[in-house]
Amino acid sequence: RALHPRTVIHPVLSQAEMVDILSQSKVFLFPSLYEGFGMAVTEAMACGCAVVVTPTGFGASIKNAAEGVVCDFRDVAAMTTAATRLLRDDVGRLRLAAKGRGRVSCLAWSEQVRKLESVYRRWLVV
């Protein structure tokens, strides 16, 4: 209930609008039952949000309490507690957000294309 008045649902946003909103946000809550990868989570982390996620998609690879908070799929109480704690603890939230940002810093498209190209080049010499 304490989070409800501060919850905002945005319509479709441009990339610039999304970056602006995420950069101003403190916590990104993403309770998903299924995600193929979870680009929304990585984008939020790249913009400096502390994330509260479920263990699916990219969220399954996040180190709990080190890069974000990972909660069981239907544990609403844990998600609420985590989000509330992060909103109240500026130092802890900023530390978690910085670790999260570091975790996703290597996920730039240019780096991923370079890695994929490297794999293809190795296949060519086989």
Side-chain angles (χ1 to χ4, degrees), residues 9-27:
I9 298 173
H10 296 278
V12 176
L13 302 169
S14 71
Q15 184 175 5
E17 290 170 321
M18 181 188 65
V19 168
D20 184 52
I21 289 169
L22 287 174
S23 296
Q24 294 177 43
S25 300
K26 295 178 179 181
V27 175

Side-chain angles (χ1 to χ4, degrees), residues 50-72:
V51 298
V52 178
V53 299
T54 50
T56 186
F58 187 76
S61 72
I62 292 174
K63 293 178 186 155
N64 189 31
E67 299 168 338
V69 178
V70 183
C71 300
D72 288 335

Side-chain angles (χ1 to χ4, degrees), residues 2-126:
L3 297 176
H4 182 72
R6 295 181 283 175
T7 303
V8 178
I9 298 173
H10 296 278
V12 176
L13 302 169
S14 71
Q15 184 175 5
E17 290 170 321
M18 181 188 65
V19 168
D20 184 52
I21 289 169
L22 287 174
S23 296
Q24 294 177 43
S25 300
K26 295 178 179 181
V27 175
F28 186 78
L29 175 64
F30 199 72
S32 180
L33 294 174
Y34 171 80
E35 281 301 313
F37 175 74
M39 251 176 106
V41 174
T42 60
E43 290 168 338
M45 292 169 80
C47 290
C49 292
V51 298
V52 178
V53 299
T54 50
T56 186
F58 187 76
S61 72
I62 292 174
K63 293 178 186 155
N64 189 31
E67 299 168 338
V69 178
V70 183
C71 300
D72 288 335
F73 291 104
R74 288 182 165 67
D75 194 344
V76 176
M79 291 178 213
T80 302
T81 298
T84 302
R85 182 179 47 81
L86 289 169
L87 288 169
R88 291 181 178 156
D89 177 9
D90 290 337
V91 173
R93 183 186 67 252
L94 292 171
R95 184 178 63 249
L96 193 68
K99 291 279 191 175
R101 190 176 208 163
R103 169 69 164 80
V104 298
S105 64
C106 67
L107 298 179
W109 282 113
S110 58
E111 179 63 16
Q112 299 312 306
V113 168
R114 187 194 64 71
K115 288 178 181 179
L116 183 59
E117 180 183 21
S118 174
V119 169
Y120 288 164
R121 288 187 183 281
R122 283 195 308 270
W123 289 350
L124 288 173
V125 295
V126 173

